[in-house]
Each structure stands twice: as C-alpha cells, then as structure tokens.
Amino acid sequence: MTAAVTEAEAGVAPAARRRRVLLLVLGALSAIGPLSIDMYLPALPAIAGEMGTGQAQVQLTLTACLVGLSIGQVLAGPISDTRGRRGPLLAGIAAYAIASLLCAFSPSVYGLVGFRLLQGVAGGAALVIVRAVVRDLYEGAAIARIFATLMLVSGLAPVLAPIAGAQLLAHTSWRGVFVSLSVAGLLLLAASLRTVGETLPADRREGGGLRHTLVTFGHLLRDRSFMACALAAGLGFGAMFAYISGSPFVLQEVYGASPQTFSLVFGLNAIGMTLVSQIGGRLTGRVTTPARLVVIGLLLSVAGAGALVVVGLLHLPLAALVAGLLVMLCGLGLALPSVGALALAGQPRQVAGSASGLTGVLQFAIGAAAAPLVGLGDQSSALPMALVLAGLTLGSVVAFAGLRRSSADVSAA
C-alpha cells in the first residue's frame, strides 16, 4: 500500500512541476505586451529629441504597437482554433524577435512606427494563444485563478521593464532597449519550444476558413454577456494604456520627475495592481463570484480616476497624483482578470482562440485610440490624462452593468 502511494505521488509530482513550469512560461509570454510597451517608456522624450519630432508623433509609436497587438490577436486566434496552438505561437514569438531588432535600426520616427506595428502583430499572436491555452486546460472559476496567477508573473514586467529601460538608457540609447527586447524574444522562443505542447488536439479543432471565422465572430458580437465582459475589459485596458502613454510626460515634464523616479512610481503602481489581482484570484470561487469582483474593481477604478480629475483641476502635488493612479490601477487589477475569465468561460474550447482574439482586439484597439488623446490637451497639466482616464473607467462600468443586465433580461424572457 505504501509503495503504491509512493509511486502515485512520484507520478503526480513531475506532472505538477511541469504544470508550474508551463504557467511560468505562459506568464512570461503574456508579458510580451507590457515589455513592448513599458520598457521604452522612459525613452519617449529622448526619442522625440533625437528624431526632432513632437510628443504626439512619438506617441504614435505606442499606438502602432497597440494596433499591431490587436491585428495579431484577431488573426492568430482563429488560426489557432483551426491549426492548433503550438505552431502559431512559435511563429509569432520568432517574428517578434526579428521585428524588435528592426525597431532598433529605425531611421526615422515613421520608420519606427512601421516596425512597432510589425512588432505588435507578432506579439499579439503570443498573447491571444496564451489565453486560449488556459481555456483549453481549465474550467469555470479556475480560469480566473489562473489568469490571476499569470498576472503575478507578467505583472513583474511593468515593474521591472521601466526600471530596466531607465538603467539601459544610462549606458546606451533607446535603440539598445529594442535590442534587449529582441534578445528577450529569442529566450521566450527557446523556453516555449521546450515547455509548451499542443493543447488543442486535431479532433477538437474547428473546421472551415474565413467564412466560418466571420460567422463565429458574428455569434460572439451578438452574445450580450460576452460583449459586456469584452467591452468592459477593453475600456479598462484603454484606461491603462492612456495612463501608460501619458504618465511619462506628466510625471517627467509637468512634475519634473527624473526617468529613474518615473520608473519607481510606475513600478509602485504595477506592484499594487499585481498584488490586488492576486487577492482577487484567491477570493474567486471561495468567498465571492467573479462578477462581484469585477463590479467592486471597476467602481474603485472610477473613484481613483475621479480623484485624478481633482488633482488636475487643483494642481495638487505629485503625492496626490501617485495616490490617485494607485487607487485606479488597483481597481483595474481586481477587475480585469475576472472580467477576462467571464468572457472566455462561457465559450466552448473550440472557439476559445476566436473569443480570446476578439477580446484582445477590443482591448488594444481601444487602447490604441486612447493613448494619443492624453497628448492633445494642455501639456502643462495632468488634467487631460485625468479626464481620459475618468471617461474610460466610467464607460467600463456602464458597459459591464448595462449589457449584463440586458443579457439577463433576454435570458429571462
């Protein structure tokens, strides 16, 4: 009996270790977005200075990456539903490493915009397939817990990326930042080759081509419960990207912070967001439901964004700005893993890639539209960024509450 138990335990232990390693690699892959966006943020003013261009033009490099991430997800998601997860994932990571190197050799700001678009398309393939793999392997509330676990791993990227970028800028130019991203892509490719197997067997894959993909997207767009979650997530991510786009200029040019101080503030906010997401992951399925966590998190984010509007109107000091940002981002950290899990949990595994892709498109498309808005107002105040953040977080609450209620009414009828 003892020997049998020991053999069983010996069999479970390697499997558990493999699953932990897989989650670690998936978390690192989900960090491609934050790495691509956050690592070069301290260099935005330097890029503008070297290339002789303005803030709005440099922010287009961020917008291009976000647009690319959207395109990559909407392409790779359906492809992974029909051809499996592993092949498209590896191809996307390899292309990401190449595109990052091309960014390092951009001759002009518009060349950089083009290469950032390619970088985003490649990175988007990894992001969408990671979420689909989680849906392949887990059910129900477990999806929210795994998303929170991935956020713990990928959440280190927003903490470390700006700090690493600032330190790199002390020894090299902004071009060295993109060389580092290319090296990171190669390391992720090597790790994925060893650890990420095929999670969607051939007998569970979707058939059909473009027409079938469009039909699937049509069904998803008419699913009010899915769209409530997808739009709420999209507007929440839009607020986060507006913060990412505007905070380097607000903190460094309005408040006079150094690149190192900016990276520390950015890291503090990322740590808070990550810790709150872990608390939410532990609560899901044990104490409360994902939907309740979404509501609490979104309301908290609205409160933080409202405080930022007051900061901008009254020109309050840096500490007040940082406090408002921290409250808003902690609210998003509580809401986003659960709202993403709700969006995918109601869909069958066969269309997980398409559902993940559509959710990602909304997230990054709204983020791409929101990112340059913060640069259109008064450049000597934090108010334009605060107003954009307030509008997006409030819109996220309205989308989730309104469409979820409509969905419940339709179901009841």
Side-chain angles (χ1 to χ4, degrees):
M1 182 67 175
T2 303
V5 171
T6 302
E7 289 177 5
E9 291 176 348
V12 170
R17 282 196 297 270
R18 286 194 297 271
R19 184 60 60 92
R20 286 195 293 269
V21 172
L22 174 61
L23 289 178
L24 181 63
V25 174
L26 292 178
L29 288 170
S30 67
I32 279 182
L35 279 175
S36 304
I37 295 163
D38 301 338
M39 196 166 178
Y40 92 130
L41 289 181
L44 289 181
I47 295 173
E50 178 184 323
M51 294 189 166
T53 188
Q55 174 181 337
Q57 285 75 22
V58 174
Q59 285 176 328
L60 281 176
T61 65
L62 176 59
T63 299
C65 184
L66 296 176
V67 170
L69 287 165
S70 297
I71 295 172
Q73 291 183 82
V74 78
L75 292 176
I79 289 173
S80 75
D81 286 339
T82 59
R83 298 184 178 274
R85 313 296 188 204
R86 181 175 162 84
L89 174 65
L90 297 177
I93 301 170
Y96 176 86
I98 296 171
S100 298
L101 193 60
L102 291 174
C103 289
F105 294 96
S106 300
S108 67
V109 67
Y110 295 108
L112 182 59
V113 168
F115 292 138
R116 287 281 282 170
L117 179 67
L118 294 177
Q119 184 190 39
V121 170
L127 292 177
V128 70
I129 294 173
V130 164
R131 292 194 298 268
V133 167
V134 171
R135 178 66 187 92
D136 291 340
L137 298 176
Y138 297 94
E139 292 281 356
I143 300 176
R145 290 196 294 271
I146 296 304
F147 278 176
T149 301
L150 295 184
M151 196 167 184
L152 175 61
V153 180
S154 64
L156 292 174
V159 178
L160 299 178
I163 296 173
Q167 295 306 314
L168 281 171
L169 289 175
H171 302 284
T172 184
S173 70
W174 60 268
R175 299 178 188 274
V177 174
F178 286 103
V179 172
S180 299
L181 289 174
S182 180
V183 173
L186 292 174
L187 294 174
L188 287 171
L189 179 61
S192 300
L193 281 167
R194 290 179 60 86
T195 60
V196 182
E198 182 56 66
T199 60
L200 188 67
D203 59 350
R204 284 169 43 195
R205 296 175 189 173
E206 285 286 285
L210 177 61
R211 178 182 176 83
H212 184 272
T213 298
L214 294 177
V215 169
T216 300
F217 280 145
H219 287 313
L220 291 170
L221 289 170
R222 292 191 297 273
D223 185 333
R224 294 185 182 181
S225 181
F226 171 80
M227 288 304 298
C229 298
L231 279 175
L235 291 164
F237 268 89
M240 191 164 63
F241 287 128
Y243 152 73
I244 288 170
S245 173
S247 60
F249 293 95
V250 170
L251 287 168
Q252 293 182 77
E253 297 187 359
V254 176
Y255 283 89
S258 67
Q260 288 72 27
T261 300
F262 161 72
S263 65
L264 291 175
V265 171
F266 199 85
L268 170 67
N269 289 330
I271 289 172
M273 186 176 182
T274 302
L275 289 177
V276 171
S277 75
Q278 297 312 296
I279 294 171
R282 291 182 178 275
L283 292 175
T284 301
R286 300 178 185 179
V287 179
T288 186
T289 63
R292 183 171 297 176
L293 287 178
V294 172
V295 172
I296 294 172
L298 291 180
L299 291 176
L300 190 62
S301 69
V302 171
L308 290 172
V309 173
V310 175
V311 170
L313 287 171
L314 301 181
H315 303 285
L316 297 179
L318 179 61
L321 179 78
V322 173
L325 288 171
L326 183 60
V327 171
M328 186 201 74
L329 291 167
C330 284
L332 292 176
L334 186 63
L336 291 179
S338 292
V339 78
L342 285 172
L344 291 183
Q347 306 302 321
R349 288 187 176 92
Q350 290 86 348
V351 298
S354 297
S356 178
L358 185 55
T359 302
V361 165
L362 289 172
Q363 291 173 1
F364 288 99
I366 294 174
L373 293 180
V374 298
L376 299 179
D378 182 6
Q379 301 299 305
S380 64
S381 169
L383 186 59
M385 181 181 73
L387 291 173
V388 173
L389 294 176
L392 289 167
T393 53
L394 184 60
S396 186
V397 173
V398 171
F400 186 76
L403 285 176
R404 292 271 296 183
R405 186 178 298 115
S406 297
S407 178
D409 292 342
V410 170
S411 300

